[in-house]
Amino acid sequence: DGRWVFTASQDVRVWDAGTGRQKFRFAGSAAAFAPDKTRVLVAHGYDVVARDLATGKELARFEGLCKKR
């Protein structure tokens, strides 16, 4: 919907596209928006964490999802 932008490198940052201001900063190296655009999925180590874009709260953690094969 164009409201949010994220960048990912040493950490994941979520930005308000309208103001250009940073809204959240999470530990992690990669991210993807959920299809409904209300959550962001963040890869952190071997885990994937679902976070609410309104509050930044952790909604779910999927442990070991990113293990090397």
Side-chain angles (χ1 to χ4, degrees), residues 41-60:
L41 303 174
V42 179
H44 182 238
Y46 293 126
D47 301 341
V48 173
V49 180
R51 294 196 172 268
D52 184 284
L53 279 172
T55 65
K57 287 186 178 183
E58 182 176 313
L59 300 172

Side-chain angles (χ1 to χ4, degrees), residues 11-64:
D11 55 15
V12 173
R13 298 176 190 214
V14 178
W15 307 84
D16 182 310
T19 66
R21 293 185 180 185
Q22 181 178 303
K23 182 162 180 164
F24 299 112
R25 181 178 177 183
F26 305 119
S29 58
F33 287 113
D36 65 5
K37 308 290 190 279
T38 63
R39 295 160 291 158
V40 64
L41 303 174
V42 179
H44 182 238
Y46 293 126
D47 301 341
V48 173
V49 180
R51 294 196 172 268
D52 184 284
L53 279 172
T55 65
K57 287 186 178 183
E58 182 176 313
L59 300 172
R61 179 176 293 263
F62 305 94
E63 295 181 0

Side-chain angles (χ1 to χ4, degrees), residues 29 45-47 63-69:
S29 58
Y46 293 126
D47 301 341
E63 295 181 0
L65 203 59
C66 298
K67 283 188 179 176
K68 291 183 180 179
R69 295 177 191 242

